[in-house]
Amino acid sequence: MVMTRALITAAALVLGQTVVVAGAADFRSAADAAVILYDAPSVKARKLYIVNRGYPLEVVVQVEGWLKVRDAAGTLSWVEAKALDNARSVLLKAAATVRQKPADDAPVAFEAQRDLLLEMVEGANAGWLHVRHRDGTAGYVRAVDVWGG
């Protein structure tokens, strides 16, 4: 990973571009209804796929207006920086019980299916995330059960 970062930084410096390599996990969400992910940092590059509004992506590298991102499947691609926003969403990796409080024995707020997209209200607190369903129902889910937290 360190070697990859060094090579990306060196290549960018040769090309006269500014590069920022993300340290700790930096997640952002797709801002538009359809955000295109590319195989290189250019709108002329090959289009790989589209993600919907709210889909969480992990930022790996920033290069002048472009972000190299990782999706929930681990695939790396490029996206225009303006296509993402700082609003945080999480994607359930498997079916999960969302609780009314951050505890295994707390009452159930709702049951959620795999790949459900939830808005993150508050970050990790003792291994739990405060989330909200699009219908307004809120609760707590284990951080290990989601992608993007």
Side-chain angles (χ1 to χ4, degrees):
M1 183 70 165
V2 173
M3 184 63 143
T4 302
R5 287 181 181 175
L7 289 173
I8 290 170
T9 302
L13 290 173
V14 169
L15 297 172
Q17 296 182 336
T18 302
V19 173
V20 177
V21 178
D26 175 18
F27 287 93
R28 306 217 187 128
S29 298
D32 300 323
V35 171
I36 301 170
L37 299 175
Y38 299 88
D39 70 345
S42 169
V43 293
K44 293 180 181 178
R46 187 168 58 97
K47 296 173 183 171
L48 299 174
Y49 53 98
I50 295 173
V51 295
N52 296 325
R53 178 177 287 119
Y55 189 90
L57 294 163
E58 179 185 7
V59 176
V60 178
V61 174
Q62 298 178 38
V63 179
E64 291 189 11
W66 287 88
L67 303 173
K68 187 170 192 175
V69 295
R70 181 177 294 116
D71 66 18
T75 304
L76 293 172
S77 56
W78 290 89
V79 63
E80 289 184 274
K82 66 183 179 183
L84 301 184
D85 65 28
N86 291 325
R88 295 286 301 272
S89 297
V90 294
L91 188 69
L92 286 176
K93 295 190 274 187
T97 300
V98 179
R99 305 278 178 179
Q100 291 179 11
K101 296 183 186 233
D104 286 322
D105 59 352
V108 175
F110 61 94
E111 295 290 337
Q113 297 301 310
R114 178 179 181 223
D115 292 331
L116 178 67
L117 193 61
L118 299 167
E119 174 190 352
M120 190 165 74
V121 177
E122 187 179 346
N125 179 9
W128 293 85
L129 299 174
H130 190 195
V131 296
R132 182 179 357 230
H133 188 278
R134 67 180 177 192
D135 70 5
T137 308
Y140 294 84
V141 66
R142 290 186 159 285
V144 297
D145 293 335
V146 303
W147 163 257

